[in-house]
Amino acid sequence: FQRSTSDWGYVGDLVEDDDKIGLYSYKVQSTITSRLANTMIQAKMVNNAKRSQHIVFDVQVPKGAFIDNFTMDVNGITFTSKIREKSEARKMYSQAKAKGKAAGIVRSNALDMENFKTEVNVPPGTRIQFELHYHEMIRRKLSSYEHIISVKPGRLAKHMEVDVRIIEPQGLRYVHVPNSLGDHFDGITTISKGEKKAHISFKPTMAQQRKCPTCSSTAVDGNFVVQYDVNRETTGGELEIFNGYFIHFFAPENLDPLPKNILFVIDVSGSMWGLKMKQTIEAMKAILSELRAADQFSLIDFNHNVRCWRDNLVSATPAQVEDAKKYIQTIHPNGGTNINEALLRATFILNEAQNLGMLDPNSVSMIVLVSDGDPTVGELKLTTIQKNMKQSIKDEFSLFCLGIGFDVDYDFLQRIATDNRGMAQRIFGNQETSAQMKNFYNQVSTPLLKKIQFNYPQESVSDVTQSSFHNYFGGSEIVVAGKVDTENLQHLESVVTATAANAELVMETLRDVEELDGFMKKDKYADPEFTKKLWAYLTVNQMLAERNTAPTAALKRNITKSILQMSLDHHIVTPFTAMLIENAEKDEIMLADQPKDPRRGCCPGTLGLTPNAPNNNKGIPAWANVTAVPVSFMPEQRSPPVSSLSINRVDNDPHFIIHLPKSQRNICFNINSEPGKILNLVSDPGTGVVVNGQLIGAKKTENKKLNTYFGKIGFYFKNKGLKVEITTETITLKDGSYGITLTWSDTGHIIRKQLLISVKKESNVTITVGEEMSFMVLLHRVWKNHPVNVDFLGIYIPPENQFSPAAHGLIGQFASEPAVYIHHQRPGQAPEKPQATMEVKGNKLTVTRGLQKDYRTDRVLGTDVPCWFVHNSGKGFIDGHYKDYLVPHLYSFLKKP
């Protein structure tokens, strides 16, 4: 996997942004061999600035994919990768770190898509090449295979190319490339299709990449999608045998649907308020219209209470369907979330119907759960809910889960779904929620077979993946793989038995062992190890699922050992392995791994493999996930890296950290004022929003200084007439004479005039105003008998908030980002705190490199955030003097100077 930058050729005529970083080429190559997609993403970049700066390689990788290689070449210094057992890799990394040779660490979060993000600080003139390899199995949904490649170069590329090749021995029925990147690129993609092969090419010129003829920004920003399907000649499926492995693709068609018994369980808690509920109602009305006459159904909606539209299943007659639609239309979200009781009620209805003989023996029973959050009422322990579902369902029917939005614990939904013969899908809460829900339902709405069993001659095959399946849904595909003794076998026969609508089916397939050899060996693009990789992909995923449901610790340990060995044998990153990335001299080393807790955010001081969606820390909104801190490559001495934490925050004494997204820098300053004083943080007459914080003092001075903190934070939404006061004891919403108060011992929601307040017990409060803006307030508790410290609050404000150009305040003024130039780095008074010169707003300031605390993911110890510290209460960085930001009341606007 060694790569060289010697083939770049002439790198002139690059279009550069203000940062003088040029993208010489951005290339994606993907080859699909019998549903196995091998994808390579490569970027070649150059720093044409006269100063050292950060170059970022940031790509999205599908959650189900296995990353198998990453290389990086920095001016001829090549970094290559190898897979190691996780603890061994971490030990090697720690040893390198102790010697000062560790460049960074990579972590991954298990979400729908992962951002593999590498950020490197390089000197002027540096050429750098990144290259990432991953593979995945393309699943069939709704009668189509869909290969999705994220293409987000971030800037204009002198050479841009997406190249996809498809090799399918069964033959291609069709190939389609929707215009997913937008009408801007209409007609640029070329498709060449043969009987069993296809080639898709997307090569926009630099002029075609531009958003407009005079724009310097790229319009290439989205997913490149390829859809296709294959020919099918036999109902028994297609057997492909190659290099000692077999793959059995099973997708029968032209069968009558089985009747279904379906319970829809819908979360109507307060957090579903607004667009999510509106879209859910719209989707459910469309889904109910698609029920067949032979189906039976009912509805359950729940918050802290559980309600049934009907206490038993009813036939999907037009009258019943219409009545159900009217019922859904009356739902108004509020209150907490009692997932456990809602699911138990659904399983009781299905079990009772079965015990009373009310279900057709050939029907398929299922529960569809729609939720956007964690349990807050009733049973709160997720493992207990998981156990309750397993015991109640007893493998008799399936549970499908739709997780809406970012706060939902998607990992939990996946576990209870796969535990109970179902699947889960994340639905992002936006304008497309309704369409996403209907698409998911369509995948499970047409059961064609049940109790499917695959049989192969035991003397000829071994290590077969899952061979027994509960249901087969129309438009999907079942894939079974195993090892086969090709030396002593000329033909392989399979027998599949299943229950169809009107009969028991037996489907047989016979395939010549050497049939594929000639075809595959003649094609230079086909992956000669596709059968081996598909078998390993299926086997590892199956073992990961089995590990989640292992009844004993001993069995779980044995499965873990098997997963580890498979990961090492097949060079893939799994939750039990890590990827070491190092140069030939081994004097720089990085670590890529996946934490066992998929909700752990990235650690400070890390190279980033982080989720593009937010992490699942409860109560933390979409903008509040901690991304990575880049690795620095300096020509001589390495200075501490610049953080890419994309949030503005005030916490502790009070420490301000201002994130500047364009320059990717964090600037810090402290405000030292008196207890009782009120500081304006945001004053925006354009949107009518005010955020102020009142200071409280510590119990006594330390080192002749009295520390101050925010003890009260006020929000005023003038256009709505709403005021929110948050103290260390209570959270109060005021609307004229109306008022409602929650304490920090509550978990709940307050909704008023399209403003949502979500309280997480003894942790944080989030305030959401439509889709325009959101805020988070963190509670810091201290020991009540502490001789010095007091309880206090911290506030976190995302830069994406849609403030007006008139916004001001200690934080609000940075909604319009000032130009910042930091140079002349030099040693400071302490070796770990170098100094530099910062030019901003016409001022030249001496700034110091240091660390501040971010308490979103660790409210006790906090996370260190590297930043440039401005002395004298931010003088020169903020407009005027900090005393200009003192206001008389908690809801006062800042007076214009």
Side-chain angles (χ1 to χ4, degrees):
F1 291 109
Q2 296 252 356
R3 294 289 182 269
S4 172
T5 55
S6 61
D7 59 341
W8 283 37
Y10 177 62
V11 296
D13 301 328
L14 298 184
V15 174
E16 302 159 348
D17 290 343
D18 295 339
D19 56 14
K20 298 294 182 182
I21 293 174
L23 178 59
Y24 177 72
S25 77
Y26 192 90
K27 182 185 295 184
V28 180
Q29 291 181 341
S30 191
T31 301
I32 304 171
T33 309
S34 281
R35 287 58 145 198
L36 178 78
N38 290 295
T39 302
M40 180 274 290
I41 303 178
Q42 180 195 81
K44 297 179 179 180
M45 307 174 78
V46 60
N47 177 18
N48 285 327
K50 295 181 180 179
R51 66 182 189 276
S52 297
Q53 59 180 340
H54 298 284
I55 290 184
V56 179
F57 176 66
D58 188 358
V59 299
Q60 290 186 357
V61 179
K63 180 194 170 188
F66 286 148
I67 294 174
D68 49 45
N69 189 55
F70 172 65
T71 60
M72 183 170 68
D73 191 303
V74 185
N75 270 358
I77 301 173
T78 303
F79 289 75
T80 56
S81 62
K82 55 189 176 183
I83 303 294
R84 291 287 184 270
E85 189 272 329
K86 179 171 288 190
S87 60
E88 176 191 349
R90 286 179 170 174
K91 182 178 179 181
M92 294 172 66
Y93 175 76
S94 297
Q95 291 172 347
K97 187 176 182 180
K99 298 176 182 178
K101 297 180 180 180
I105 181 171
V106 182
R107 289 190 186 273
S108 162
N109 278 8
L111 296 173
D112 293 359
M113 293 287 278
E114 294 171 346
N115 272 22
F116 188 101
K117 183 177 180 181
T118 311
E119 191 168 343
V120 185
N121 191 292
V122 296
T126 297
R127 296 181 183 184
I128 185 167
Q129 175 179 300
F130 304 97
E131 190 169 300
L132 179 70
H133 293 252
Y134 64 88
H135 66 268
E136 60 180 322
M137 189 177 85
I138 309 300
R139 301 281 185 178
R140 188 171 187 254
K141 297 178 181 177
L142 302 175
S143 301
S144 176
Y145 299 98
E146 187 171 75
H147 185 34
I148 300 175
I149 305 170
S150 176
V151 186
K152 298 183 177 182
R155 58 185 74 227
L156 295 172
K158 185 175 182 181
H159 302 285
M160 158 72 69
E161 178 181 4
V162 178
D163 189 90
V164 180
R165 294 185 181 272
I166 306 173
I167 301 105
E168 287 287 355
Q170 280 182 248
L172 292 166
R173 190 158 67 89
Y174 70 86
V175 176
H176 174 59
V177 180
N179 205 4
S180 55
L181 288 172
D183 296 338
H184 188 94
F185 300 104
D186 190 28
I188 295 178
T189 302
T190 61
I191 304 174
S192 174
K193 177 185 172 296
E195 181 185 353
K196 298 183 178 182
K197 303 176 186 178
H199 180 213
I200 299 98
S201 180
F202 174 71
K203 295 179 69 173
T205 63
M206 191 176 288
Q208 291 169 329
Q209 295 171 45
R210 296 180 188 271
K211 282 188 176 180
C212 66
T214 58
C215 291
S216 60
S217 55
T218 180
V220 183
D221 184 19
N223 293 329
F224 188 82
V225 179
V226 177
Q227 299 168 336
Y228 74 95
D229 201 9
V230 299
N231 299 320
R232 289 179 175 80
E233 298 177 357
T234 62
T235 56
E238 181 71 17
L239 275 173
E240 294 185 0
I241 307 157
F242 191 66
N243 279 355
Y245 294 86
F246 78 87
I247 310 293
H248 191 169
F249 300 105
F250 180 77
E253 297 175 336
N254 302 319
L255 297 171
D256 293 331
L258 296 169
K260 60 182 177 289
N261 316 299
I262 185 166
L263 261 295
F264 298 99
V265 182
I266 304 169
D267 183 348
V268 296
S269 61
S271 57
M272 285 287 288
W273 166 83
L275 183 62
K276 284 190 282 190
M277 196 72 251
K278 180 181 177 183
Q279 294 274 316
T280 298
I281 291 172
E282 180 185 326
M284 283 305 306
K285 289 165 69 176
I287 288 169
L288 289 170
S289 296
E290 295 176 6
L291 291 172
R292 300 182 181 88
D295 296 338
Q296 297 187 92
F297 79 106
S298 189
L299 300 169
I300 293 175
D301 62 291
F302 71 97
N303 47 25
H304 49 284
N305 296 315
V306 177
R307 292 167 296 275
C308 298
W309 167 67
R310 294 286 187 271
D311 290 330
N312 54 279
L313 293 168
V314 298
S315 297
T317 63
Q320 295 283 21
V321 167
E322 194 59 34
D323 192 68
K325 290 181 184 178
K326 291 178 181 177
Y327 177 80
I328 288 177
Q329 197 69 51
T330 64
I331 290 174
H332 296 289
N334 61 79
T337 308
N338 194 341
I339 291 177
N340 184 65
E341 187 179 338
L343 288 176
L344 287 176
R345 184 76 62 88
T347 59
F348 173 80
I349 291 174
L350 283 175
N351 282 324
E352 184 180 45
Q354 181 164 299
N355 294 336
L356 295 174
M358 298 172 60
L359 305 183
D360 184 329
N362 287 341
S363 65
V364 171
S365 298
M366 64 182 77
I367 296 170
V368 176
L369 169 68
V370 180
S371 180
D372 77 331
D374 288 344
T376 61
V377 179
E379 180 57 61
L380 303 181
K381 195 173 181 181
L382 300 183
T383 53
T384 301
I385 298 175
Q386 185 177 352
K387 183 189 294 185
N388 290 344
M389 290 306 99
K390 188 69 175 174
Q391 291 175 348
S392 183
I393 289 176
K394 302 173 185 174
D395 288 338
E396 293 295 328
F397 40 91
S398 300
L399 173 62
F400 298 96
C401 298
L402 275 170
I404 298 181
F406 299 108
D407 293 335
V408 66
D409 189 338
Y410 182 61
D411 181 61
F412 165 65
L413 295 183
Q414 275 193 312
R415 287 200 308 273
I416 62 171
T418 54
D419 235 8
N420 296 287
R421 302 177 181 270
M423 63 180 179
Q425 183 169 317
R426 182 188 294 278
I427 301 295
F428 294 102
N430 54 30
Q431 297 291 343
E432 302 299 320
T433 297
S434 179
Q436 293 175 70
M437 288 181 63
K438 286 184 282 188
N439 182 282
F440 177 81
Y441 172 74
N442 288 338
Q443 294 176 43
V444 300
S445 64
T446 313
L448 299 181
L449 296 172
K450 62 186 293 186
K451 298 179 181 177
I452 307 110
Q453 180 66 50
F454 291 77
N455 302 284
Y456 308 95
Q458 294 183 1
E459 67 276 8
S460 305
V461 302
S462 61
D463 296 330
V464 179
T465 58
Q466 181 180 347
S467 58
S468 178
F469 297 84
H470 194 57
N471 296 314
Y472 165 72
F473 295 96
S476 64
E477 181 175 64
I478 295 175
V479 184
V480 181
K483 297 178 180 178
V484 63
D485 182 4
T486 54
E487 293 185 3
N488 301 311
L489 189 70
Q490 292 184 333
H491 307 283
L492 178 64
E493 182 180 16
S494 74
V495 178
V496 182
T497 60
T499 300
N502 301 309
E504 296 294 321
L505 296 183
V506 178
M507 294 157 279
E508 299 181 2
T509 303
L510 183 68
R511 189 64 70 227
D512 186 338
V513 168
E514 297 181 357
E515 185 175 325
L516 271 184
D517 286 14
F519 173 77
M520 286 296 178
K521 290 175 180 176
K522 288 178 183 177
D523 194 295
K524 66 178 181 178
Y525 295 105
D527 185 347
E529 294 192 324
F530 82 96
T531 50
K532 179 181 178 181
K533 288 181 179 179
L534 279 171
W535 172 80
Y537 182 94
L538 291 168
T539 301
V540 171
N541 278 292
Q542 180 181 324
M543 288 192 293
L544 287 169
E546 290 173 351
R547 185 183 180 278
N548 283 335
T549 59
T552 66
L555 180 57
K556 181 172 284 191
R557 284 194 298 270
N558 288 337
I559 296 173
T560 302
K561 289 178 182 178
S562 299
I563 296 172
L564 173 60
Q565 193 57 52
M566 286 281 293
S567 306
L568 296 174
D569 291 345
H570 296 271
H571 200 269
I572 52 178
V573 179
T574 66
F576 308 105
T577 55
M579 177 183 283
L580 282 172
I581 306 161
E582 57 189 2
N583 61 357
E585 291 75 24
K586 301 186 186 301
D587 59 1
E588 292 289 352
I589 186 170
M590 293 171 280
L591 178 72
D593 73 2
Q594 290 182 317
K596 291 182 180 179
D597 179 359
R599 287 175 286 162
R600 279 183 64 183
C602 283
C603 299
T606 68
L607 188 72
L609 172 57
T610 58
N612 67 310
N615 64 26
N616 282 349
N617 285 302
K618 303 304 172 293
I620 295 183
W623 42 267
N625 65 307
V626 182
T627 57
V629 178
V631 177
S632 297
F633 285 86
M634 301 297 287
E636 297 174 0
Q637 179 183 1
R638 288 189 176 88
S639 64
V642 176
S643 172
S644 60
L645 292 166
S646 55
I647 200 77
N648 297 319
R649 60 199 79 93
V650 192
D651 222 323
N652 219 323
D653 179 27
H655 303 315
F656 287 73
I657 308 179
I658 304 298
H659 175 70
L660 304 177
K662 292 180 182 177
S663 61
Q664 285 295 300
R665 296 186 187 279
N666 286 330
I667 310 298
C668 304
F669 58 92
N670 294 346
I671 296 293
N672 297 312
S673 190
E674 304 168 13
K677 297 293 186 182
I678 301 173
L679 291 170
N680 174 256
L681 307 179
V682 177
S683 178
D684 186 4
T687 60
V689 174
V690 167
V691 184
N692 293 324
Q694 186 170 30
L695 298 173
I696 57 172
K699 294 177 182 177
K700 63 180 182 180
T701 59
E702 279 191 318
N703 300 321
K704 298 182 180 181
K705 177 193 173 186
L706 181 68
N707 287 332
T708 54
Y709 312 88
F710 280 130
K712 184 183 296 184
I713 295 177
F715 298 84
Y716 179 31
F717 302 95
K718 182 179 179 181
N719 297 343
K720 296 179 181 293
L722 299 178
K723 296 176 180 178
V724 180
E725 178 182 300
I726 301 176
T727 71
T728 56
E729 301 298 329
T730 60
I731 302 97
T732 302
L733 171 69
K734 300 175 184 176
D735 183 0
S737 60
Y738 170 85
I740 184 171
T741 298
L742 294 177
T743 70
W744 281 102
S745 61
D746 297 319
T747 291
H749 307 278
I750 304 173
I751 301 170
R752 188 82 169 179
K753 296 180 180 178
Q754 297 186 336
L755 182 139
L756 171 64
I757 302 173
S758 299
V759 181
K760 183 183 176 186
K761 181 178 179 179
E762 295 295 334
S763 177
N764 60 65
V765 174
T766 55
I767 299 176
T768 307
V769 188
E771 297 182 352
E772 293 80 40
M773 58 184 70
S774 57
F775 308 87
M776 176 193 279
V777 176
L778 255 67
L779 173 67
H780 296 273
R781 288 277 191 228
V782 301
W783 177 42
K784 65 180 180 180
N785 293 325
H786 195 285
V788 178
N789 296 340
V790 293
D791 296 345
F792 64 96
L793 304 172
I795 182 168
Y796 294 72
I797 304 176
E800 294 82 10
N801 275 0
Q802 297 175 25
F803 296 124
S804 77
H808 210 264
L810 286 167
I811 292 178
Q813 64 186 289
F814 298 103
S816 299
E817 181 174 332
V820 172
Y821 179 38
I822 297 176
H823 58 92
H824 191 210
Q825 294 187 35
R826 53 196 182 272
Q829 293 180 349
E832 70 276 9
K833 292 185 177 182
Q835 293 186 335
T837 299
M838 182 171 79
E839 296 185 29
V840 58
K841 297 181 178 180
N843 302 313
K844 281 191 176 182
L845 311 173
T846 297
V847 292
T848 303
R849 194 69 171 152
L851 297 172
Q852 294 283 26
K853 292 288 187 181
D854 183 306
Y855 291 95
R856 286 170 296 154
T857 55
D858 187 337
R859 289 188 302 116
V860 179
L861 300 177
T863 299
D864 287 334
V865 179
C867 64
W868 288 106
F869 184 81
V870 181
H871 303 272
N872 300 320
S873 297
K875 186 177 180 181
F877 180 60
I878 63 173
D879 295 337
H881 191 276
Y882 89 84
K883 290 184 178 179
D884 299 334
Y885 298 88
L886 295 174
V887 291
H889 304 293
L890 196 61
Y891 305 112
S892 297
F893 278 87
L894 187 66
K895 291 184 179 181
K896 293 183 179 180

